[in-house]
Amino acid sequence: MRAEQLPIRSPDDVARVRQAVRSRAQAMGYSVVEQTKLVTAASELARNTLVYGLGGSVEMQELEDGFTQGLQLVFEDQGPGIDDLDQALTDGFTTGGGMGLGLSGSRRLMSEFDIQSTPGAGTRVAVVLWKRAGARR
Amino acid sequence: MSERIPILKMGPFLLVTIQVELHDQLVLTLQDDLTEQVARHRAQGVMIDISALDIVDSFIGRTLAHIASLTRLLGASTVLVGMRPAVAITLVELGLTLPGIRTALNVERGMELLQRLVETDPAAGSPSDAC
Amino acid sequence: MRDLLTALSKSRAQQGFAPTETALFVFSLKQPMFEHLSGSGEAGNDVLDRVWRLNRLLDDLGLYTTEMYQRGRESIIQKQQQELLDLSTPVVKLYEQILALPLIGTLDSERTQVVMENLLDGIIAHEARIAIIDITGVPAVDTLVAQHLMKTIAAARLMGAECILSGIRPQIAQTIVHLGVDLGDIMTKATLADALVMALQRTGHVVVRKQG
């Protein structure tokens, strides 16, 4: 399971993250809808990393759970962090002029969503989309 | 020097076909250019063809909604055409249903819709009749 | 002994362990036995060591075939499940630009996703303006199902097609109101026939009965 790390330091990096996620998802045989969900979530989270986290990185990793495959994306920054996670995950909450759907929306698009944030130290968001299969546990 | 999405004028309408991947800055530039041109040409309708777009995230979606509101204030209806099924599903899951934007399946239908809107309401009406 | 192993395998399968992992659990008993043997006999440690390594190799090969066999079966089952899902959610063209999606049976989230994708692909393929979602055959509508339906309708609208929801039986209407689900300004009709008439009108047709 190869891991691949990409920097998120500029808007161009965000575009590169989208392309990298797209091609990895294609190579793994995700459906078009799944690919679109992955790339969209990657776009939201990469933008958050850049705008709110003041830059960071993403690590892509393929996962396997015995039944199906998944693609994991871990976004990390050393930015100001998030004071109130519950509030940040509420639809419509925003501090950066966005629509406040970045975090909550990505959570709906992905199978798994985990966020850890320490005010003053940074934020880490890990998401996984498992390939849709009848035999998911 | 800076990248721009071309805007075509067709009679009373403005036509935009997005054929490149949208960066945040690019879509903001489009918003400025479109509002400026709607005002300058007194356009009655705007059609944005997104059939080539393989993702619309919340930023792009929100800006498209802004464009629709801005052009409405300037007296022009905006019709969004050609959204792909996967993009539509993802946008809805994301929580964006773009209630203020009119939509059509393709450019041809979009043009029909714009023409109908202009005929029935020369002042280019509110989105409530879109159903 | 067999009962014990059956119970163990079942519980492990439910927990999502691969068959190899389960078998390895049993095979792991070998090592202490071999160690016991090699501890008791002074001569032949070398032979035992080689037998042990050969044994391990053959175990691995056997386990590998089991694993591959299982994967093959799983992919067949998945494919069949997919086919069943597709079969149970047909998109029918009723008239020019009018599609119907007659839903039959329980709607879970897996199936609703397939329904949604089939309908949206159908809208493109038939250049549909209107899609009728008929839920006459759906036994119950809970909040989740209602939300899925709303999402499908919202996605169709983003693509430029309108949806009409038909076949809402009185009990289901009550449930929807009771659950406080806001169907908003979604067009609804009691029957598929009523919905078809509405769809024809909205696409500019006039339905008249021929005189005589």
Side-chain angles (χ1 to χ4, degrees):
Chain A
M1 303 295 144
R2 294 163 299 145
E4 185 180 342
Q5 199 174 28
L6 296 164
I8 303 173
R9 299 270 166 222
S10 69
D12 283 348
D13 284 343
V14 175
R16 268 191 284 274
V17 168
R18 288 206 284 234
Q19 280 152 13
V21 171
R22 159 93 45 199
S23 52
R24 179 67 75 100
Q26 261 167 359
M28 287 174 70
Y30 277 99
S31 73
V32 175
V33 172
E34 289 169 324
Q35 284 175 34
T36 309
K37 287 183 178 178
L38 270 166
V39 178
T40 306
S43 183
E44 300 292 343
L45 296 173
R47 183 183 295 109
N48 279 357
T49 301
L50 181 67
V51 176
Y52 303 105
L54 312 173
S57 65
V58 59
E59 191 179 88
M60 271 198 288
Q61 174 129 38
E62 289 174 29
L63 304 178
E64 192 144 351
D65 80 339
F67 286 100
T68 183
Q69 276 181 296
L71 183 60
Q72 184 187 53
L73 305 172
V74 181
F75 294 82
E76 270 180 295
D77 65 61
Q78 281 75 47
I82 301 168
D83 287 325
D84 187 342
L85 276 182
D86 288 338
Q87 194 181 32
L89 282 165
T90 310
D91 270 356
F93 180 78
T94 177
T95 55
M99 212 173 195
L101 291 171
L103 283 180
S104 57
S106 306
R107 178 153 75 167
R108 280 193 293 272
L109 291 175
M110 298 290 101
S111 326
E112 285 172 31
F113 182 97
D114 178 66
I115 182 165
Q116 282 158 27
S117 190
T118 314
T123 303
R124 177 186 185 275
V125 182
V127 293
V128 182
L129 184 68
W130 294 105
K131 270 196 212 168
R132 202 161 81 198
R136 294 275 319 127
R137 18 173 181 133
Chain B
M1 47 157 258
S2 74
E3 219 182 337
R4 281 197 136 76
I5 296 167
I7 299 170
L8 264 66
K9 188 173 173 302
M10 278 180 71
F13 306 130
L14 297 178
L15 180 63
V16 179
T17 305
I18 300 171
Q19 278 175 330
V20 292
E21 200 192 337
L22 280 182
H23 303 265
D24 293 359
Q25 190 47 52
L26 195 56
V27 70
L28 288 177
T29 310
L30 176 67
Q31 177 180 309
D32 294 345
D33 289 355
L34 256 179
T35 39
E36 192 263 325
Q37 291 216 28
V38 165
R40 183 173 357 135
H41 300 298
R42 297 176 179 275
Q44 291 179 290
V46 174
M47 178 158 63
I48 305 175
D49 177 11
I50 58 161
S51 55
L53 276 190
D54 56 13
I55 73 153
V56 171
D57 64 12
S58 65
F59 188 85
I60 301 172
R62 181 177 63 108
T63 312
L64 290 173
H66 274 180
I67 289 174
S69 316
L70 286 166
T71 58
R72 194 176 309 125
L73 283 174
L74 297 167
S77 298
T78 293
V79 175
L80 194 64
V81 306
M83 188 183 291
R84 297 182 185 183
V87 173
I89 291 174
T90 305
L91 258 190
V92 170
E93 292 282 348
L94 202 58
L96 270 181
T97 52
L98 307 179
I101 299 192
R102 286 194 180 79
T103 53
L105 193 67
N106 52 36
V107 173
E108 200 184 338
R109 295 269 175 89
M111 201 46 97
E112 274 173 41
L113 178 58
L114 275 183
Q115 241 132 24
R116 211 166 57 233
L117 289 171
V118 172
E119 278 160 23
T120 54
D121 181 8
S126 69
S128 57
D129 58 78
C131 238
Chain C
M1 187 69 185
R2 271 171 196 271
D3 287 348
L4 184 75
L5 288 177
T6 309
L8 177 84
S9 307
K10 273 190 187 160
S11 81
R12 288 221 138 200
Q14 272 158 12
Q15 289 167 41
F17 285 97
T20 313
E21 292 171 298
T22 312
L24 269 176
F25 175 73
V26 178
F27 288 172
S28 66
L29 295 173
K30 279 188 189 176
Q31 193 169 6
M33 288 168 79
F34 266 85
E35 273 166 12
H36 182 72
L37 279 178
S38 65
S40 60
E42 299 81 27
N45 261 0
D46 189 36
V47 180
L48 263 177
D49 185 50
R50 273 193 266 168
V51 170
W52 167 244
R53 275 189 292 175
L54 191 62
N55 193 14
R56 281 283 300 272
L57 178 69
L58 288 174
D59 283 357
D60 285 349
L61 292 177
L63 287 172
Y64 184 75
T65 60
T66 319
E67 184 92 26
M68 289 304 114
Y69 174 78
Q70 169 113 3
R71 283 220 194 152
R73 298 230 343 194
E74 264 170 19
S75 72
I76 292 172
I77 293 171
Q78 266 182 30
K79 218 168 121 191
Q80 286 173 340
Q81 264 176 345
Q82 191 60 44
E83 281 167 4
L84 261 179
L85 276 172
D86 288 341
L87 271 180
S88 62
T89 53
V91 177
V92 199
K93 182 177 172 180
L94 289 185
Y95 200 74
E96 273 169 54
Q97 306 178 349
I98 301 173
L99 292 184
L101 181 74
L103 293 175
I104 294 164
T106 314
L107 285 177
D108 57 13
S109 102
E110 176 84 11
R111 193 166 159 225
T112 316
Q113 283 189 52
V114 177
V115 167
M116 198 196 269
E117 287 171 31
N118 282 355
L119 180 67
L120 301 187
D121 289 342
I123 286 171
I124 298 270
H126 300 286
E127 300 204 329
R129 280 182 202 272
I130 298 198
I132 301 170
I133 303 176
D134 184 71
I135 58 167
T136 312
V138 178
V141 170
D142 57 16
T143 324
L144 214 62
V145 171
Q147 275 172 358
H148 279 311
L149 286 172
M150 306 279 287
K151 280 184 188 170
T152 308
I153 293 167
R157 197 200 71 88
L158 283 175
M159 290 171 54
E162 294 179 306
C163 289
I164 304 175
L165 196 58
S166 74
I168 304 180
R169 285 176 288 122
Q171 307 98 292
I172 291 185
Q174 283 196 8
T175 321
I176 290 175
V177 173
H178 191 68
L179 290 170
V181 176
D182 181 17
L183 287 179
D185 40 19
I186 287 169
M187 293 183 282
T188 53
K189 284 284 164 197
T191 66
L192 181 57
D194 293 343
L196 178 59
V197 172
M198 188 189 203
L200 285 168
Q201 282 166 350
R202 292 190 76 87
T203 48
H205 297 87
V206 183
V207 186
V208 285
R209 188 186 294 273
K210 211 170 147 188
Q211 294 289 313

